Structures are given as C-alpha cells and as structure tokens.
C-alpha cells in the first residue's frame, strides 16, 4: 500500500479499546490534518478540493453502497476517467480504498462496541455478515470473532 494509505490506517489503529469519543475525534482530527498537508502536494490526479470532498463523502457514507458511478458523478468525471484519477491521487483503486476504510471502521466497532457481527457488517457497508467475514479474514488473516476475542479482557 502507498505510504499515505498506511499512515491513514495508523491514525485509528493505536486507539485503545476503552476509547472515548474525544479520542476518536482526536484520531479523526489527526487524519484530517495529515490530508490537509499531504493532499495538496500530490501532482496530477484529482484536484485537492475533489480529493477532500470525496474523502469526506466516503467517510460519511461508508454504511451505504458506494458505486464508482456515484463517486465519479460527485467530481463530474466519467467512471473510467475517475478511476484512473483516483488511483493516481491515492495510489489505490477506488474499490480498494473503500474496502480499506470499511475494514478500518469494522475493526474500530469490533474493539469498541458490543454490536453483533451482522450489525457491524451492515454498519460498514457490507452486503451481509458472510461477505464481511470473508473480506475481513482475507485482509487480516483472522475472523471478526477472533479479532474481537483478542481484545476482550
């Protein structure tokens, strides 16, 4: 993964289990500050305001189906051109970025909530618990239940 994506993931990975809302906001503020500094330095790809708009929109709508067509319309580009520009801007294709963000939110919910796995799957935009479990295991090498159990006292 590109360094920007790895750094972005790290903003929430070090948040302790007994996280307060203030600590989560601190992580979000660190991520926003990082992107205010790094995003304008990216050459080519989407404009800085388009990147910021897309990041905000994706974060606010992770629990909903997000298509390449819908994201492309937000920045007034064809889906093909949008996918190329997104990859140039963020270093990963749009679907990979969405999956990374959904899995990050799932990790956060698994650590800090008592929601059942099906509810977490839906809250993170996965079609069902099976799809969520398969993607989670594929990405992290453990099931969501095993991940949650690792953080129980």
């Amino acid at each position: 993964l590109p360094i920007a994506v790895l750094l972005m993931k790290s903003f929430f990975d070090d948040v302790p289990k007994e996280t307060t809302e203030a600590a989560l906001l601190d992580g979000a503020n660190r991520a926003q500050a990082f992107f205010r500094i790094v995003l304008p330095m990216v050459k080519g790809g989407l404009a800085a305001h388009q990147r910021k708009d897309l990041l905000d929109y994706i974060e606010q709508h992770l629990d909903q189906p997000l298509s390449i067509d819908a994201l492309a319309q937000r920045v007034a580009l064809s889906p093909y051109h949008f996918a190329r520009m997104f990859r140039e801007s963020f270093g990963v294709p749009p679907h990979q970025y969405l999956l990374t963000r959904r899995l990050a939110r799932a990790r956060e919910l698994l650590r800090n909530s008592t929601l059942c796995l099906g509810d977490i799957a839906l809250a993170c935009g996965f079609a069902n618990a099976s799809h969520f479990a398969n993607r989670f295991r594929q990405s992290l090498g453990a099931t969501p239940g095993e991940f949650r159990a690792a953080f129980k006292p």
Side-chain angles (χ1 to χ4, degrees):
L1 291 174
I3 189 70
V5 174
L6 291 173
L7 287 171
M8 181 186 64
K9 286 173 54 178
S10 72
F11 288 117
F12 293 99
D13 287 345
D14 63 344
V15 177
K17 181 181 180 202
E18 47 283 329
T19 301
T20 63
E21 186 174 333
L24 287 175
L25 288 174
D26 180 53
N29 289 338
R30 287 185 288 156
Q32 288 176 350
F34 171 77
F35 281 109
R36 275 196 299 271
I37 294 167
V38 172
L39 288 181
M41 296 188 304
V42 174
K43 299 286 186 200
L46 299 167
H49 72 280
Q50 291 174 317
R51 293 188 301 260
K52 183 185 179 322
D53 178 56
L54 280 171
L55 290 178
D56 292 343
Y57 182 79
I58 289 169
E59 287 302 314
Q60 293 170 4
H61 296 89
L62 272 181
D63 61 332
Q64 302 167 11
L66 293 171
S67 69
I68 299 296
D69 291 340
L71 294 174
Q73 284 178 351
R74 286 198 65 81
V75 292
L77 295 173
S78 72
Y80 175 76
H81 191 62
F82 166 75
R84 286 183 36 234
M85 294 296 100
F86 189 97
R87 184 179 188 128
E88 189 172 329
S89 296
F90 296 101
V92 293
H95 68 275
Q96 183 64 44
Y97 179 83
L98 286 171
L99 178 61
T100 300
R101 292 304 309 135
R102 286 182 167 143
L103 290 171
R105 179 167 294 169
R107 287 192 314 269
E108 178 185 321
L109 290 173
L110 286 167
R111 288 178 67 186
N112 301 313
S113 77
T114 58
L115 292 173
C116 70
L117 298 181
D119 290 341
I120 290 175
L122 295 176
C124 296
F126 292 96
N128 53 51
S130 177
H131 181 233
F132 166 55
N134 287 335
R135 291 300 189 152
F136 195 92
R137 183 177 34 251
Q138 188 178 43
S139 174
L140 296 173
T143 66
E146 293 168 342
F147 181 86
R148 176 178 266 172
F151 289 99
K152 282 189 179 176

CSV table of all heavy atoms in Angstrom, one decimal, residues 9 27 44 52-53 65 84 92 104 106 121 125 144:
chain,number,residue,atom,x,y,z
A,9,LYS,N,-4.3,4.6,7.9
A,9,LYS,CA,-4.8,3.5,8.7
A,9,LYS,C,-4.3,3.6,10.1
A,9,LYS,O,-5.0,3.2,11.0
A,9,LYS,CB,-4.4,2.2,8.0
A,9,LYS,CG,-5.2,1.9,6.8
A,9,LYS,CD,-4.7,0.6,6.0
A,9,LYS,CE,-4.6,-0.6,6.9
A,9,LYS,NZ,-4.1,-1.7,6.2
A,27,GLY,N,-8.3,11.2,16.7
A,27,GLY,CA,-7.8,10.4,15.6
A,27,GLY,C,-8.2,10.9,14.3
A,27,GLY,O,-7.5,11.0,13.3
A,44,GLY,N,-0.9,15.8,-10.3
A,44,GLY,CA,-1.8,15.0,-11.2
A,44,GLY,C,-3.0,14.5,-10.4
A,44,GLY,O,-3.1,14.7,-9.2
A,52,LYS,N,-10.6,16.1,-1.2
A,52,LYS,CA,-11.2,16.3,0.2
A,52,LYS,C,-12.7,16.0,0.2
A,52,LYS,O,-13.2,15.3,1.1
A,52,LYS,CB,-10.9,17.8,0.6
A,52,LYS,CG,-11.5,18.0,2.0
A,52,LYS,CD,-11.3,19.5,2.3
A,52,LYS,CE,-11.8,19.8,3.7
A,52,LYS,NZ,-13.0,19.2,4.2
A,53,ASP,N,-13.4,16.4,-0.9
A,53,ASP,CA,-14.8,16.2,-0.9
A,53,ASP,C,-15.1,14.7,-1.0
A,53,ASP,O,-16.0,14.2,-0.3
A,53,ASP,CB,-15.4,16.9,-2.2
A,53,ASP,CG,-16.9,16.6,-2.4
A,53,ASP,OD1,-17.7,16.9,-1.4
A,53,ASP,OD2,-17.3,16.1,-3.4
A,65,PRO,N,-24.1,1.5,0.0
A,65,PRO,CA,-23.4,1.1,-1.2
A,65,PRO,C,-22.9,2.3,-1.9
A,65,PRO,O,-23.6,3.3,-2.1
A,65,PRO,CB,-24.5,0.4,-2.0
A,65,PRO,CG,-25.7,0.2,-1.1
A,65,PRO,CD,-25.6,1.2,0.0
A,84,ARG,N,-9.1,6.2,-13.0
A,84,ARG,CA,-7.7,6.5,-13.2
A,84,ARG,C,-7.2,7.6,-12.4
A,84,ARG,O,-6.1,7.6,-11.8
A,84,ARG,CB,-7.5,6.8,-14.7
A,84,ARG,CG,-7.6,5.6,-15.6
A,84,ARG,CD,-7.4,5.9,-17.1
A,84,ARG,NE,-6.4,6.9,-17.3
A,84,ARG,CZ,-6.5,8.0,-18.1
A,84,ARG,NH1,-7.7,8.2,-18.7
A,84,ARG,NH2,-5.5,8.8,-18.3
A,92,VAL,N,-4.3,3.8,-4.9
A,92,VAL,CA,-5.0,2.6,-4.9
A,92,VAL,C,-6.3,2.8,-5.7
A,92,VAL,O,-6.8,4.0,-5.7
A,92,VAL,CB,-5.4,2.0,-3.5
A,92,VAL,CG1,-4.2,1.6,-2.7
A,92,VAL,CG2,-6.2,3.1,-2.7
A,104,ALA,N,-11.4,-0.8,8.3
A,104,ALA,CA,-10.9,0.0,9.4
A,104,ALA,C,-12.0,0.4,10.4
A,104,ALA,O,-11.9,0.3,11.6
A,104,ALA,CB,-10.2,1.3,8.9
A,106,ALA,N,-14.8,-1.4,10.7
A,106,ALA,CA,-15.2,-2.6,11.3
A,106,ALA,C,-14.3,-3.0,12.5
A,106,ALA,O,-14.7,-3.4,13.6
A,106,ALA,CB,-15.2,-3.8,10.3
A,121,ALA,N,-21.4,-5.6,10.1
A,121,ALA,CA,-21.3,-5.8,8.7
A,121,ALA,C,-22.1,-4.7,7.9
A,121,ALA,O,-21.6,-4.0,7.0
A,121,ALA,CB,-21.7,-7.2,8.2
A,125,GLY,N,-21.1,-1.2,5.6
A,125,GLY,CA,-21.4,-1.2,4.1
A,125,GLY,C,-21.3,-2.5,3.4
A,125,GLY,O,-21.3,-2.6,2.2
A,144,PRO,N,-13.7,-12.0,12.1
A,144,PRO,CA,-14.1,-10.9,13.0
A,144,PRO,C,-14.3,-11.3,14.5
A,144,PRO,O,-13.9,-10.6,15.4
A,144,PRO,CB,-15.4,-10.4,12.4
A,144,PRO,CG,-15.3,-10.8,11.0
A,144,PRO,CD,-14.6,-12.1,11.0
